[in-house]
Amino acid sequence: TYLLGIIISICGNVLISISLNIQKYAHVRQAQRGSKPYYTSATWWCGVVLMGVGELGNFAAYGFAPASLIAPLGCVSVIASAIISVVFLKETLCASDIVGGTLAITGTYVLVTFAPHTSTHITAHLVQYYAISWHFLLYLFIEIVIFCLLLYLYKRRNMKHIVIVMLLVALLASLTVISVKAVSGMITESIKGQLQLIYPIFYVMFVVMVASCAFQIKFLNQAMKMFDATEVVPINFVFFTASAILAGIVFYQEFEGLALLNIGMFLFGCLLSFVGVFLIARNRPKIKQQERNFIAMNKIPGKIYLSFFISFP
């Protein structure tokens, strides 16, 4: 079923890219006309609907494939968005865009080839077993300590460095990935006939998923206000992907029994994707701080979550 998860995730990310560019087009057109607000445009709402369908696809993909395989596929959204913006929005194509796209596509192929392909059927009893395992409890304790330390530096010491903010997002993202896969997996098993929604752990994971997503949006919104999207997007992709892979390894034990060659090539594929996304993102047009407005378009968990916000004049 991992192939089905890959296909659903890729289709979801492509739909998200299309939706973001449709909404960007709607913003540009409304700004040129200078008349009604963007949310009165049928084109903008079409983009919102496509965004919802894409996010639903990303959510469903976690029920069919390992989290460490689905999370890096968020780079598909960046590649597709760059292609669409050049073809339809007539943005400039640079040599680094071509190199970055090639590296990202190559990295995606490598990581998909060597990633763990076996995904355990997620049941309520299995999630409960994983949740009380000593390695996850240790992981959770370390994560909470680091999160509290970073939050203290960010709020009390007023250290507004982009790495601190994006690390806060990444730490929350690891909980998001764990809970999303648990909720998606239990819904999938329920649809197959093994009802999982009667167990309290389903609703615990659902609350964790919603809460972690909400706080990710909060910190991402702050990051986008303080820093340019060309900085936030690639850093967030790298941190989110690393966090998702680590969460999959610790909680779902996805690398158990995987050969060292597969692990090495998988990490190499991720590295190629990281470099590709950095090259693509660095040439996106910068927006002046005083002219920047944001619409929360959170890509959790996918992707990335790579285009959380749309900038418009």
Side-chain angles (χ1 to χ4, degrees):
T1 59
Y2 81 94
L3 286 175
L4 180 60
I6 292 172
I7 293 171
I8 293 174
S9 179
I10 290 175
C11 292
N13 282 307
V14 171
L15 281 177
I16 288 169
S17 301
I18 294 172
S19 73
L20 289 170
N21 281 279
I22 287 175
Q23 291 173 76
K24 184 176 182 180
Y25 171 75
H27 287 309
V28 171
R29 191 173 65 175
Q30 291 296 110
Q32 289 173 347
R33 293 179 178 179
S35 53
K36 299 179 181 179
Y38 62 86
Y39 49 80
T40 62
S41 168
T43 304
W44 187 83
W45 281 108
C46 179
V48 171
V49 171
L50 284 178
M51 169 72 73
V53 175
E55 294 292 358
L56 185 61
N58 272 326
F59 175 81
Y62 279 87
F64 296 97
S68 55
L69 175 57
I70 296 300
L73 292 179
C75 69
V76 172
S77 180
V78 176
I79 299 169
S81 184
I83 295 172
I84 293 169
S85 63
V86 169
V87 174
F88 294 101
L89 299 181
K90 307 303 179 183
E91 292 187 2
T92 305
L93 179 66
C94 303
S96 60
D97 292 331
I98 299 174
V99 175
T102 303
L103 288 175
I105 292 172
T106 304
T108 301
Y109 174 78
V110 171
L111 68 88
V112 166
T113 302
F114 291 96
H117 293 162
T118 56
S119 184
T120 310
H121 294 284
I122 304 299
T123 64
H125 293 300
L126 187 64
V127 173
Q128 287 176 338
Y129 172 76
Y130 286 153
I132 60 174
S133 61
W134 69 267
H135 46 271
F136 172 69
L137 293 177
L138 178 61
Y139 170 78
L140 185 62
F141 174 75
I142 295 173
E143 185 172 276
I144 291 173
V145 170
I146 295 175
F147 184 86
C148 291
L149 177 61
L150 291 172
L151 194 62
Y152 171 78
L153 294 175
Y154 180 65
K155 292 290 188 181
R156 296 296 183 181
R157 295 294 182 179
N158 202 33
M159 295 178 64
K160 307 297 184 182
H161 196 280
I162 187 171
V163 173
I164 292 178
V165 184
M166 302 318 295
L167 279 175
L168 288 169
V169 175
L171 291 172
L172 290 167
S174 68
L175 295 179
T176 301
V177 169
I178 290 171
S179 57
V180 163
K181 183 169 178 60
V183 171
S184 178
M186 284 188 276
I187 290 176
T188 302
E189 291 299 312
S190 298
I191 293 173
K192 291 179 180 179
Q194 299 180 8
L195 187 61
Q196 305 294 315
L197 308 187
I198 59 175
Y199 296 99
I201 190 66
F202 173 82
Y203 300 96
V204 171
M205 286 295 177
F206 184 82
V207 170
V208 171
M209 179 182 70
V210 173
S212 59
C213 284
F215 281 104
Q216 278 188 79
I217 294 173
K218 175 184 176 181
F219 286 117
L220 276 168
N221 191 31
Q222 293 175 5
M224 292 293 283
K225 287 179 179 178
M226 293 186 292
F227 311 102
D228 197 87
T230 56
E231 299 172 307
V232 174
V233 168
I235 294 176
N236 181 67
F237 172 65
V238 172
F239 283 9
F240 169 80
T241 303
S243 178
I245 292 171
L246 187 60
I249 293 172
V250 174
F251 191 86
Y252 294 104
Q253 303 172 23
E254 292 177 347
F255 276 24
E256 187 176 6
L258 200 64
L260 289 177
L261 175 62
N262 286 62
I263 295 174
M265 293 301 295
F266 173 79
L267 295 177
F268 178 66
C270 289
L271 178 61
L272 289 179
S273 298
F274 294 163
V275 175
V277 169
F278 267 99
L279 290 176
I280 294 172
R282 74 171 190 168
N283 286 320
R284 295 301 95 193
K286 292 182 179 289
I287 310 293
K288 291 181 180 179
Q289 186 71 27
Q290 62 268 25
E291 296 177 353
R292 188 184 298 163
N293 296 292
F294 301 98
I295 301 169
M297 286 294 168
N298 197 7
K299 187 181 180 309
I300 300 175
K303 337 212 183 248
I304 107 89
Y305 212 159
L306 305 175
S307 302
F308 290 88
F309 299 85
I310 300 173
S311 303
F312 61 95

